[in-house]
Amino acid sequence: MTQTLHIVGGGMAGSEAAWQAAQAGIDVVIHEMRPGVETFAHRTGKLAEMVCSNSFRSDDDEQNAVGLLHWEMRRAGGIVMRMAQENRLPAGGALAVDRDAFSQAVTDALRAHPRIAVSDEEITALPDDGHWIIATGPLTSDALGRAIAAETGTDALAFFDAIAPIVHADSIDMGVAWMQSRYDKGDTEEERRAYVNCPMTKPQYEAFIDALLAAEKTEFHAGETAGYFDGCLPIEVMAERGRETLRFGPMKPIGLTNAHAPDDKAYAVVQLRRDNALGTLYNIVGFQTKMKYGAQTEVLRMIPGLQDARFARLGGIHRNTFLNSPTLLDAQMRLRSRPNIRFAGQITGVEGYVESAAMGLAAGRMAVAEILGHALPDIPQDTAHGALIHHITGGAEARSFQPMNVNFGLFRPIEGLKGGRRGRKDRYKAYTDRAKSAWDGWLATQEVPA
């Protein structure tokens, strides 16, 4: 029993941690409460279910920190990146997947692994012994959340997260909309036509903003206090910050040419990205919302091309929880007060599917080394994984700690490189070159097969 690794939560982080440990020869039990205990956002009992978006964001491993994280996970034999690649959809320079096929593929691989067992139960207390990783994500159950709060002596921090609507493709008016990736980005014609674009004139945009601001919104329960994570702001919150905010955010028109009227420059553009392999569903990019369902259909049908839209899923909002990791976790992602327990994924204060899976990968390998009695060098801070771990375990200011996506601002500067926008391309390439070398060196210190 003492050699078994127990993982609470079968999301991105838990799935990746389980795979890394099992591949290293460790017996693993994944404790996943779904589908017996449901959450607001999940629809199935599958492992690694994608709740919000179907995108893992940029796949550029030379100029983008997220793409670098992809590269590092692939290099380490990660299950999440492997199944993402096998279930990839055209999305320009992004890595988007058929969400149902992806989660089914991860589920099948983990359940078929001879060293992995899946236990359909809710864990409601912190274990006193054994090797554990808690990767329950932003929707940690109330009972376990209370146990964590009692142990840490503080209420769990929280922020609100929102979900974007999904539209049936055959209800989009392609006489108004057209297919194009921004700046025609992509290596194939399919990639260069990966997005549906719905153009707006200035009067249409102004009317849309008016309706958005006036729409009935979901109210929070009494006593719920939290901020929004800036990377997943509801569109109406962005609009409240300024009428032009959306036009310079998810509705920016740059890099797009209307196929129906090439000489007409849109004032704003709403983009939709394919959500499944069949191409029958599209999600509205960046359109997370807390509008009530009736209001959503009315407001979203004001978008040209979506006037007759049918929705496979409407948007929603839910409360996410995360630890104040800089004060609670050590450099090995262990709870200082109970070092038999590691935390991984969004609950540690990283944000995004990729970052969550990456923290699962790291925690899984750390647990393997501890179980086997092997010395494991710290993950180099100059890697994408290392930059995130450094941030959540001590690099961030504890008093203002908030969820963080991976970005080059977390990386140590390289002397002699030009700063500012003009030097960005050379600077980012230097960051990624340095990271790849450091990551390969770290992997070489381990007996875990890459």
Side-chain angles (χ1 to χ4, degrees):
M1 261 314 264
T2 58
Q3 298 304 305
T4 299
L5 176 61
H6 294 268
I7 298 174
V8 186
M12 295 292 174
S15 295
E16 190 61 67
W19 182 259
Q20 294 291 325
Q23 288 293 89
I26 300 298
D27 290 330
V28 178
V29 178
I30 301 174
H31 303 267
E32 172 52 60
M33 67 181 186
R34 296 179 292 113
V37 180
E38 298 180 344
T39 75
F40 164 80
H42 291 90
R43 297 183 297 111
T44 74
K46 295 176 184 177
L47 303 174
E49 180 179 337
M50 303 183 82
V51 173
C52 298
S53 169
N54 72 320
S55 174
F56 289 100
R57 310 186 339 263
S58 175
D59 204 31
D60 182 349
D61 60 59
E62 294 188 348
Q63 292 292 312
N64 190 284
V66 178
L68 174 61
L69 207 51
H70 291 183
W71 184 94
E72 292 179 5
M73 293 173 69
R74 289 180 176 123
R75 202 74 163 179
I79 188 69
V80 168
M81 281 298 107
R82 193 181 97 194
M83 294 312 179
Q85 189 64 34
E86 291 182 7
N87 293 279
R88 185 170 191 159
L89 298 176
L95 174 58
V97 303
D98 181 320
R99 70 175 76 216
D100 291 330
F102 164 79
S103 60
Q104 187 64 61
V106 174
T107 301
D108 291 345
L110 292 176
R111 286 187 175 273
H113 200 291
R115 289 196 174 274
I116 298 176
V118 180
S119 176
D120 301 323
E121 61 177 324
E122 179 185 5
I123 300 296
T124 59
L126 296 181
D128 294 321
D129 52 27
H131 301 279
W132 291 78
I133 295 175
I134 294 179
T136 46
L139 299 178
T140 299
S141 70
D142 289 342
L144 185 56
R146 287 193 295 270
I148 294 170
E151 176 65 28
T152 58
T154 182
D155 292 335
L157 297 177
F159 66 99
F160 288 113
D161 206 353
I163 297 172
I166 296 176
V167 176
H168 288 279
D170 61 5
S171 69
I172 302 172
D173 184 353
M174 296 307 296
V176 175
W178 76 96
M179 305 292 296
Q180 183 191 4
S181 295
R182 198 178 304 278
Y183 297 113
D184 297 311
K185 193 169 184 178
D187 295 329
T188 66
E189 183 65 17
E190 189 177 35
E191 289 282 350
R192 289 189 287 271
R193 292 168 49 84
Y195 292 81
V196 172
N197 299 281
C198 299
M200 279 188 180
T201 63
K202 184 174 182 178
Q204 288 170 333
Y205 177 81
E206 294 292 348
F208 178 77
I209 296 298
D210 288 337
L212 189 62
L213 294 173
E216 192 174 8
K217 317 296 192 306
T218 299
E219 299 298 329
F220 302 129
H221 298 298
E224 277 194 321
T225 57
Y228 291 106
F229 173 60
D230 279 345
C232 290
L233 282 177
I235 52 173
E236 57 273 8
V237 173
M238 284 190 272
E240 288 167 359
R241 295 182 174 185
R243 296 184 66 87
E244 294 288 285
T245 303
L246 285 170
R247 203 169 74 83
F248 288 91
M251 296 177 68
K252 57 181 176 287
I254 61 172
L256 298 166
T257 302
N258 190 334
H260 306 298
D263 295 330
D264 294 344
K265 182 170 177 57
Y267 190 73
V269 174
V270 174
Q271 288 198 306
L272 295 89
R273 177 178 54 230
R274 191 194 295 187
D275 204 76
N276 64 348
L278 294 174
T280 57
L281 299 175
Y282 276 75
N283 63 70
I284 310 180
V285 178
F287 263 53
Q288 296 88 356
T289 181
K290 63 170 183 171
M291 285 186 287
K292 289 191 174 180
Y293 285 171
Q296 280 187 54
T297 56
E298 291 181 12
V299 173
L300 295 177
R301 284 175 180 155
M302 294 177 67
I303 299 170
L306 300 186
Q307 63 272 9
D308 298 315
R310 290 181 291 107
F311 297 94
R313 183 189 74 187
L314 288 167
I317 192 162
H318 53 94
R319 188 175 185 270
N320 285 353
T321 58
F322 62 96
L323 298 172
N324 192 327
S325 294
T327 64
L328 298 174
L329 302 184
D330 67 15
Q332 287 278 312
M333 300 171 69
R334 294 174 296 206
L335 190 61
R336 295 180 189 276
S337 61
R338 294 201 188 201
N340 67 307
I341 300 173
R342 282 181 168 83
F343 282 82
Q346 277 189 261
I347 196 169
T348 65
V350 298
E351 174 61 15
Y353 295 139
V354 182
E355 291 86 342
S356 297
M359 294 303 92
L361 187 154
R365 285 181 171 241
M366 290 172 179
V368 165
E370 187 171 280
I371 291 170
L372 296 179
H374 295 163
L376 182 68
D378 289 342
I379 297 177
Q381 188 179 339
D382 293 329
T383 66
H385 281 78
L388 274 175
I389 291 171
H390 175 74
H391 177 76
I392 66 175
T393 60
E397 172 57 55
R399 287 177 298 178
S400 59
F401 185 63
Q402 285 288 307
M404 178 67 73
N405 289 121
V406 68
N407 64 84
F408 286 127
L410 301 179
F411 286 58
R412 294 190 295 186
I414 298 177
E415 291 186 11
L417 293 177
K418 183 186 295 184
R421 292 181 62 87
R422 290 187 177 181
R424 184 170 57 185
K425 185 174 181 180
D426 290 340
R427 190 167 65 251
Y428 289 176
K429 181 62 163 59
Y431 284 154
T432 56
D433 285 347
R434 180 181 64 177
K436 290 173 182 178
S437 176
W439 184 248
D440 278 344
W442 183 75
L443 290 178
T445 67
Q446 301 161 67
E447 296 183 18
V448 179

